[in-house]
Amino acid sequence: MVTDGCYHKKTPSSFHLPDSIQEAQISKRLLSNHDSLIEEAKTVRSEWHGGTNPIDSFNFRVRHHYSQGFNFVVRTDTLMLIRQQPEETVNKLEIDSFPVIQGKSMAVADIRIVPNDSIDSVWVQLATEDFAFGWIQEGRLLKNVDPDDPISQFISMFSNSHLLIFLVVISLIAVGYLMRKIHRRNANIVHWNDINSFYPTLLALIVALSAAFYASIQLFAPETWREFYFHPSLNPFSQPLLLNIFLVLVWGMLIIGIAALDDVRRLLKSGDAVLYLSGLAAVCAVNYIVFSILTLYYIGYLLLIVYIYYAVRVWYRKHSDTYECGNCGARLHRKGRCPHCGVINE
């Protein structure tokens, strides 16, 4: 199954969780949550490929992460659906198709296995908002749609390669501009001339750690991430363990962000606070891009260790100063000449 909308392009990993383990985790979660497909399968007999039993329907749900009644929304400009049956298309008979435009919702009406189709044996029938029904191969479908859920669409948008390139360019320009402006004004910025609060540094570290963990799930447990993409949740305790950790990091990012904002507002004047927060946002954006991409090639793990060590060491050294210059008020690690104004402090 192809869902390139929620994945970065990467080289295949030779190390990953076996599919059986990931499917067992997904099955356990569905059973504990009383998924509606299980109840329906007890009474409704599927018609996929000449009829299958209910457990086959459940297995399809586990392996493909969607089932009858699942809602999609068109992501690309248009999606073409075929009015005739899949067998007519496979046998090269005359067919008629119709388009579904971008942003339109569709519901899965039926799923059929066509073994004679050498390209893609899974065909999906969709019902549009205009009550039109049409068939399409699963591979073509998933390349052009997103689950009809705002969280899924947010994941797809931020995994788009064109958007990532745009973010890289904008982030580099923003960081360059802010560094130049901050240097001229001798203003505060996280990791360099930081304020007396650990929350901004902690926020930057959590963003880097979340990005690396996000890429790790894609790398080593792609089926687990695909399940989350189709059935997202903001509850950090309703998913498999890997996703629980990721969601805890996301919520931690939000909470630490609020704490950092409050400290910045308290410690800096309005103009300096806006400049500092802009610099912090730029650093977090660079962290997300760098670690979410480089982790896919294993470089991100070493870089993350170095970054955590550097950020904590810089903050600790900066805020372990116990003296203040009697002339300019700069914090000093020890008595003697002030490196900022040159006055001797005894």
Side-chain angles (χ1 to χ4, degrees):
M1 185 182 67
V2 180
T3 53
D4 59 339
C6 61
Y7 290 93
H8 295 311
K9 293 182 179 179
K10 63 183 187 299
T11 54
S13 172
S14 57
F15 304 97
H16 58 84
L17 292 177
D19 289 343
S20 57
I21 296 178
Q22 298 181 61
E23 291 170 4
Q25 292 177 337
I26 297 170
S27 300
K28 182 179 179 180
R29 188 182 68 84
L30 291 177
L31 291 170
S32 63
N33 291 345
H34 304 290
D35 190 89
S36 58
L37 176 64
I38 302 174
E39 302 299 327
E40 294 175 2
K42 294 179 181 179
T43 56
V44 179
R45 186 175 182 82
S46 173
E47 298 179 354
W48 305 341
H49 186 37
T52 59
N53 54 37
I55 192 63
D56 289 333
S57 302
F58 180 69
N59 286 338
F60 185 94
R61 160 65 180 84
V62 172
R63 291 177 179 271
H64 295 250
H65 310 285
Y66 69 93
S67 58
Q68 289 174 312
F70 191 84
N71 294 322
F72 289 106
V73 61
V74 180
R75 181 177 68 244
T76 54
D77 293 336
T78 56
L79 178 68
M80 301 302 297
L81 300 182
I82 299 172
R83 298 184 186 277
Q84 284 73 19
Q85 297 299 311
E87 291 79 4
E88 298 182 50
T89 305
V90 174
N91 293 324
K92 309 297 183 182
L93 300 179
E94 185 176 353
I95 58 174
D96 182 26
S97 61
F98 64 95
V100 183
I101 63 175
Q102 185 179 29
K104 291 293 185 179
S105 298
M106 303 177 297
V108 177
D110 195 8
I111 303 170
R112 185 175 300 174
I113 306 299
V114 183
N116 295 334
D117 191 341
S118 59
I119 300 176
D120 191 344
S121 61
V122 180
W123 283 76
V124 182
Q125 186 185 45
L126 298 162
T128 69
E129 297 177 358
D130 303 323
F131 302 103
F133 289 81
W135 291 89
I136 188 173
Q137 293 167 314
E138 182 188 56
R140 289 177 50 217
L141 169 68
L142 297 179
K143 289 180 180 179
N144 296 278
V145 298
D146 288 324
D148 194 4
D149 185 281
I151 301 177
S152 300
Q153 294 165 29
F154 180 84
I155 293 172
S156 178
M157 180 183 67
F158 270 83
S159 300
N160 186 282
S161 58
H162 296 90
L163 179 62
L164 282 176
I165 295 173
F166 175 78
L167 286 177
V168 169
V169 174
I170 294 297
S171 297
L172 291 177
I173 295 174
V175 169
Y177 172 77
L178 288 170
M179 290 297 292
R180 183 171 178 268
K181 193 170 183 180
I182 288 169
H183 178 72
R184 284 186 171 183
R185 293 181 52 179
N186 194 27
N188 299 98
I189 186 170
V190 65
H191 298 332
W192 284 276
N193 186 24
D194 208 349
I195 62 176
N196 190 25
S197 172
F198 187 63
Y199 288 124
T201 298
L202 183 60
L203 176 62
L205 291 175
I206 290 181
V207 170
L209 184 61
S210 301
F213 198 82
Y214 157 72
S216 299
I217 297 176
Q218 293 189 20
L219 195 60
F220 300 112
E223 289 302 319
T224 300
W225 180 254
R226 190 174 286 123
E227 171 68 14
F228 180 73
Y229 171 67
F230 276 86
H231 302 275
S233 171
L234 295 178
N235 183 357
F237 306 108
S238 65
Q239 303 290 330
L241 178 61
L242 293 178
L243 293 176
N244 286 346
I245 298 173
F246 175 72
L247 290 173
V248 167
L249 289 174
V250 172
W251 279 107
M253 193 187 312
L254 176 63
I255 295 171
I256 297 301
I258 295 174
L261 178 63
D262 183 65
D263 268 5
V264 171
R265 181 188 59 82
R266 179 173 55 86
L267 296 173
L268 297 176
K269 297 179 180 179
S270 57
D272 293 334
V274 171
L275 188 60
Y276 181 88
L277 290 173
S278 299
L280 178 60
V283 170
C284 290
V286 171
N287 285 352
Y288 165 74
I289 295 169
V290 169
F291 288 101
S292 64
I293 295 178
L294 293 186
T295 302
L296 296 172
Y297 302 94
Y298 308 106
I299 305 173
Y301 296 112
L302 178 60
L303 186 62
L304 180 63
I305 295 174
V306 173
Y307 176 66
I308 292 174
Y309 173 78
Y310 166 79
V312 174
R313 184 171 180 270
V314 166
W315 191 90
Y316 178 78
R317 288 185 61 184
K318 189 74 175 178
H319 295 83
S320 62
D321 300 332
T322 56
Y323 301 98
E324 286 188 1
C325 176
N327 182 49
C328 67
R331 297 181 66 86
L332 302 176
H333 184 64
R334 58 180 177 271
K335 295 179 181 180
R337 184 179 297 275
C338 175
H340 299 278
C341 65
V343 171
I344 302 297
N345 293 270
E346 297 181 352

